[in-house]
């Protein structure tokens, strides 16, 4: 009995150590990269974007495809959180994206939700071959509402649309859910590079629109937080499913 207790405690302790290490690691890496970013003043905006969704839906692969234009079929589940920086040009503006790839596994939830603050956009991902990941979308929306800024913009993404034979979530169901939630919707494939770039560009456009909208109505950035909430969106009628 005693031995068992000690084992439990020590693995718990190891886990806390791991969390602590991760936190320091990302903070150090973040600071390092922030300094580099600060040195490069060649951008008009900096947006923080998070990719969230259940484990194995393809978040890391999606970002890897976007940032490095590559894909690997090996599954290495993300530990904690990491980010990549990429600059895009939209509407004559240089927009620097800081894209955070979060771990989908439940046990990292305390870490990952801590990064929701200040995020301007979310890519909420499920896997069209995984019913449970689709059924969890509402839970993820709740997480966003709980931990992020009211004005955060969200795009719903059904990934792995190249796997037509294993598909269990139809495009129609994805579309329906996105309409109910008031989110724009895309089906994507990190493997076949379908709709990956479009998702990021669309999200940047939505954030830009939202920004100028709040600036127009209040001429004051501080009051932007009084704007539309997630559940009150009216947009999102376009089906973007080219798979
Ligand atoms: N066929 C196909 N496989 C994919 C696609 N995207 C990802 N995968 C595979 O799905 C598995 C999981 O991908 P990851 O990107 O690691 O998943 P994740 O969402 O980051 O998972 P966590 O880090 O645990 O949250 C890997 O084996 C990938 O190769 C896709 O578009 N099509
Ligand atoms: C998927 O994510 C939801 C929402 O966070 C969570 O409740 C559920 O346990 C996850 N499922 C798996 C298999 O990890
Ligand atoms: Mg991952």
């Amino acid at each position: 009995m005693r031995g068992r207790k000690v084992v439990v405690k020590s693995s718990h302790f190891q886990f806390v150590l791991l969390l602590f290490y991760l936190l320091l690691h990302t903070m150090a890496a973040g600071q390092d990269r922030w300094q580099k970013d600060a040195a490069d003043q060649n951008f008009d905006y900096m947006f923080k974007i998070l990719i969230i969704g259940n484990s194995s839906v393809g978040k890391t692969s999606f970002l890897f495809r976007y940032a490095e234009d590559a894909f690997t079929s090996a599954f290495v589940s993300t530990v904690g959180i990491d980010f990549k920086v990429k600059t895009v040009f939209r509407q004559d503006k240089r927009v620097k994206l800081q894209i955070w790839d979060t771990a989908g596994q439940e046990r990292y939830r305390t870490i990952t939700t801590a990064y929701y603050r200040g995020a301007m956009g979310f890519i909420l991902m499920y896997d069209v071959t995984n019913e449970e990941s689709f059924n969890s979308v509402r839970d993820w929306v709740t997480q966003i509402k709980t931990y992020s800024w009211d004005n955060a913009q969200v795009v719903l993404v059904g990934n792995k649309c190249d796997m037509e034979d294993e598909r269990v979530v139809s495009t129609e169901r994805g579309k329906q859910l996105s309409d109910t939630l008031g989110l724009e919707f895309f089906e994507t494939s990190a493997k076949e590079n379908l709709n990956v770039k479009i998702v990021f560009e669309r999200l940047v456009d939505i954030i830009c629109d939202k920004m100028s909208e709040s600036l127009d109505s209040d001429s004051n950035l501080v009051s932007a937080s009084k704007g539309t909430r997630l559940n009150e969106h009216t947009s999102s009628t376009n089906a973007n499913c080219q798979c």
Side-chain angles (χ1 to χ4, degrees), residues 54 106 109 132 136 139-140:
N54 278 57
E106 192 100 41
R109 210 51 59 81
E132 162 141 34
S136 301
D139 288 339
W140 286 107

Side-chain angles (χ1 to χ4, degrees), residues 55-56 58-61 72-73 75 77-78 104 159-160 162 190-191:
S55 181
S56 89
K59 299 178 296 295
T60 302
S61 309
T72 161
S73 51
F75 178 26
S77 194
T78 303
N159 189 40
K160 306 197 189 179
D162 57 283
K191 185 180 180 187

Side-chain angles (χ1 to χ4, degrees), residues 147-231:
Y147 295 104
S148 86
W149 188 41
D150 282 349
N151 262 341
Q153 303 299 304
V154 186
V155 173
L156 182 66
V157 165
N159 189 40
K160 306 197 189 179
C161 71
D162 57 283
M163 298 175 77
E164 224 21 86
D165 293 346
E166 278 108 304
R167 180 196 277 272
V168 292
V169 183
S170 68
T171 305
E172 197 43 50
R173 286 173 67 204
K175 184 76 188 68
Q176 235 162 41
L177 180 61
S178 73
D179 283 344
T180 313
L181 297 169
L183 309 175
E184 285 202 23
F185 172 60
F186 293 85
E187 281 195 344
T188 65
S189 168
K191 185 180 180 187
E192 305 289 336
N193 198 7
L194 289 165
N195 276 348
V196 176
K197 200 169 164 215
I198 291 173
V199 165
F200 285 99
E201 291 178 348
R202 188 63 200 128
L203 184 54
V204 168
D205 286 350
I206 299 172
I207 295 169
C208 284
D209 290 350
K210 188 71 203 174
M211 267 171 53
S212 51
E213 195 182 295
S214 346
L215 284 172
D216 284 349
S217 58
D218 304 297
S219 70
N220 182 346
L221 253 180
V222 179
S223 44
S225 58
K226 291 185 214 149
T228 323
R229 293 186 68 98
L230 251 178
N231 51 347

Side-chain angles (χ1 to χ4, degrees), residues 2-150:
R2 266 184 90 189
R4 229 171 143 187
K5 256 188 189 163
V6 171
V7 169
V8 170
K9 270 189 184 158
S10 104
S11 79
H12 186 74
F13 178 67
Q14 276 172 10
F15 184 65
V16 170
L17 264 184
L18 174 67
L19 292 194
F20 190 64
Y21 164 78
L22 266 169
L23 206 66
L24 282 180
H25 172 75
T26 44
M27 274 167 62
Q31 206 160 40
D32 205 42
R33 280 184 256 185
W34 268 114
Q35 272 163 7
K36 270 189 212 142
D37 291 339
D40 175 15
Q41 290 294 339
N42 249 337
F43 59 88
D44 301 295
Y45 299 118
M46 162 85 88
F47 292 166
K48 176 180 169 185
I49 290 173
L50 260 76
I51 310 179
I52 62 171
N54 278 57
S55 181
S56 89
V57 298
K59 299 178 296 295
T60 302
S61 309
F62 192 78
L63 182 54
F64 192 48
R65 169 62 76 189
Y66 183 59
E68 323 280 347
D69 196 18
F71 177 80
T72 161
S73 51
F75 178 26
V76 182
S77 194
T78 303
V79 173
I81 190 155
D82 196 12
F83 79 90
K84 288 188 186 294
V85 172
K86 190 159 162 109
T87 306
V88 293
F89 297 88
R90 301 305 288 170
Q91 302 161 359
D92 294 335
K93 294 275 185 278
R94 241 176 212 261
V95 183
K96 190 160 249 190
L97 301 181
Q98 188 191 48
I99 311 159
W100 292 85
D101 171 28
T102 64
Q105 286 182 49
E106 192 100 41
R107 56 183 165 145
Y108 299 117
R109 210 51 59 81
T110 324
I111 301 181
T112 54
T113 51
Y115 287 81
Y116 283 38
R117 268 184 76 164
M120 307 183 77
F122 287 83
I123 295 173
L124 201 180
M125 186 175 291
Y126 67 90
D127 170 357
V128 300
T129 72
N130 179 336
E131 182 79 36
E132 162 141 34
S133 74
F134 181 70
N135 291 336
S136 301
V137 166
R138 282 173 188 279
D139 288 339
W140 286 107
V141 170
T142 307
Q143 299 258 327
I144 296 173
K145 284 185 191 157
T146 309
Y147 295 104
S148 86
W149 188 41
D150 282 349

